Amino acid sequence: MDPVAILERVIAAAPQAVDAAGSLDELEDVEASLLGRSSEVADVRRGMSTLDEDLRPRVGAMLNEVTERLNGMVAARRAMLKRSAETDRLTSESIDVSLEAVRFPLGATHLIQQTIDEVVDIFVGLGYQVASGPEAELAWYNFDALNTPPTHPARLESDTMYLDWGDPGDEVLLRTQTSPVQARWMETHEPPVYVVVPGKCYRTDTVDATHLPVFHQIEGLAVDEGIVFSDLKGTLLHFAREFFGPATSVRLRPHFFPFTEPSAELDVSCFACDGDDPGCRVCTGAGFLEMLGCGMVDPNVFEAVGYDPGAVTGFAFGVGVERLAMVRHGIDSIKHFIDNDRRFLEQFR
Ligand code: DAH
């Protein structure tokens, strides 16, 4: 076939083929088909030597021109494809700063933990250490070491949740108080002792406005030479004023606990009415609020843990965390603490 006709057809068809290449890869295929070793242009170039002398210069010139124009078309298309690939990338990677951000709700410390932290801080400020113990506890630590005889009603299954019941030697229960950590700490530490113990406690209580089967206490224990009852009262007065406000006063009422002698309950003056409002909603006119149990450590407890009751004395107390928080914030039901209603929880962020 006539080489001139071939080249004219190639150059006429080329723009459509080049424009049809939608990607750089496709363009490479088109380039190979137009200019590569098995292209028609290459065929014409290989056939040059067989052409008539008079035709050769014209075909040669045309060959050069066609090659140059084909190269130009491919280069232009390549530049265009590169630009649009870049634009695509920039578009797909761009961030629209005007879009509303996805907001992850931020959690907050639960009021019970906040209360624990605050009480612990007050005692740490007095030099107390923070101790902890197991929630699954031996009956020995929960009761016997704390001078609580086997016949004590609190040991009944109707009050205490047992994990392993029956053999008095190694009964395991869910601790009903944080007091067993007193015994555990003293067993493993020499006096002087100044510790506070926050933690969970368990009792077979039915849920009502003031009871949960799982609740929190903070235990306190101070053992040293020459500790007397006024140390107990002074320490708890300091605590009450830090927690409820500087105008708070305290009152001790005789009570009974197996592990303290004498024992008392501590009431704090009503921070809402200060005892002046017979119709007060917080103290219902009593003027005082029951707050915690306390007393001087019973010598039998010292003996159980290997301390010499002739050498040291001490005081202990145990306070319910839920009750502290309820009194301070005027919360009417203990159930709010476990309902996980955000309308309640968010008030204490
Ligand atoms: N463990 C007692 C209770 O749960 C509270 C208590 C009273 C703790 C007197 C003490 C204490 O350390 O001395 O009711």
Side-chain angles (χ1 to χ4, degrees):
M1 204 190 170
D2 175 11
V4 173
I6 293 177
L7 293 175
E8 274 170 353
R9 188 166 39 69
V10 167
I11 199 73
Q16 216 194 340
V18 169
D19 284 350
S23 68
L24 290 166
D25 283 349
E26 279 174 33
L27 183 62
E28 255 175 47
D29 294 342
V30 172
E31 187 179 21
S33 73
L34 290 174
L35 291 155
R37 286 211 293 137
S38 45
S39 65
E40 285 176 297
V41 172
D43 287 344
V44 171
R45 188 175 288 115
R46 276 192 291 270
M48 284 291 284
S49 54
T50 64
L51 288 181
D52 290 347
E53 290 273 340
D54 52 340
L55 254 181
R56 217 180 281 164
R58 202 175 134 223
V59 172
M62 198 173 169
L63 196 55
N64 286 341
E65 191 201 323
V66 165
T67 306
E68 202 173 300
R69 279 176 59 192
L70 290 177
N71 276 324
M73 277 180 221
V74 170
R77 182 72 185 160
R78 178 170 287 127
M80 209 229 97
L81 288 172
K82 274 191 178 159
R83 261 198 315 280
S84 82
E86 179 72 1
T87 311
D88 285 353
R89 191 179 65 78
L90 288 176
T91 313
S92 71
E93 288 180 0
S94 70
I95 300 168
D96 183 349
V97 291
S98 69
L99 273 181
E100 171 85 10
V102 179
R103 282 175 212 280
F104 292 100
L106 200 57
T109 306
H110 193 280
L111 179 56
I112 291 301
Q113 188 60 47
Q114 287 183 39
T115 307
I116 289 174
D117 291 346
E118 200 174 326
V119 174
V120 165
D121 272 357
I122 293 169
F123 284 95
V124 166
L126 293 174
Y128 283 61
Q129 284 177 271
V130 183
S132 65
E135 290 169 22
E137 183 56 286
L138 289 168
W140 194 82
Y141 287 107
N142 198 80
F143 293 125
D144 301 277
L146 299 175
N147 197 38
T148 311
T151 52
H152 195 283
R155 298 181 73 138
L156 292 175
E157 268 184 295
S158 52
D159 290 317
T160 298
M161 290 186 242
Y162 284 88
L163 300 175
D164 187 354
W165 185 78
D167 177 358
D170 50 26
E171 279 175 343
V172 181
L173 46 75
L174 292 177
R175 70 179 179 195
T176 60
Q177 48 191 357
T178 43
S179 309
V181 186
Q182 289 189 29
R184 284 186 175 272
W185 183 272
M186 286 190 282
E187 245 183 16
T188 50
H189 297 78
E190 290 295 316
V193 168
Y194 293 91
V195 288
V196 279
V197 186
K200 278 195 174 60
C201 304
Y202 302 80
R203 287 182 200 178
T204 57
D205 281 329
T206 308
V207 176
D208 64 20
T210 53
H211 294 86
L212 292 176
V214 185
F215 57 100
H216 299 78
Q217 286 188 341
I218 301 172
E219 193 79 11
L221 175 68
V223 180
D224 210 335
E225 287 171 22
I227 288 193
V228 293
F229 198 85
S230 54
D231 295 320
L232 163 64
K233 185 170 182 183
T235 302
L236 294 179
L237 177 62
H238 171 79
F239 158 66
R241 288 187 170 162
E242 288 286 306
F243 191 82
F244 289 108
T248 309
S249 57
V250 298
R251 175 174 86 175
L252 287 156
R253 268 180 301 105
H255 200 80
F256 173 80
F257 296 103
F259 31 88
T260 42
E261 182 60 35
S263 303
E265 277 195 333
L266 181 94
D267 301 340
V268 298
S269 57
C270 178
F271 60 91
C273 75
D274 206 15
D276 291 338
D277 178 7
C280 176
R281 280 174 52 227
V282 175
C283 67
T284 61
F288 278 88
L289 300 158
E290 273 180 38
M291 205 43 58
L292 56 81
C294 58
M296 300 304 288
V297 179
D298 192 296
N300 290 342
V301 174
F302 286 143
E303 252 155 38
V305 299
Y307 277 14
D308 176 3
V312 289
T313 52
F315 65 79
F317 59 89
V319 57
V321 180
E322 280 79 1
R323 172 146 181 88
L324 274 182
M326 286 172 78
V327 167
R328 168 129 135 217
H329 297 284
I331 296 165
D332 59 2
S333 170
I334 199 171
K335 285 187 258 185
H336 290 305
F337 293 124
I338 57 166
D339 279 345
N340 282 340
D341 184 332
R342 281 173 52 179
R343 290 168 303 178
F344 172 78
L345 296 172
E346 281 172 355
Q347 296 175 59
F348 307 103
R349 289 179 86 93

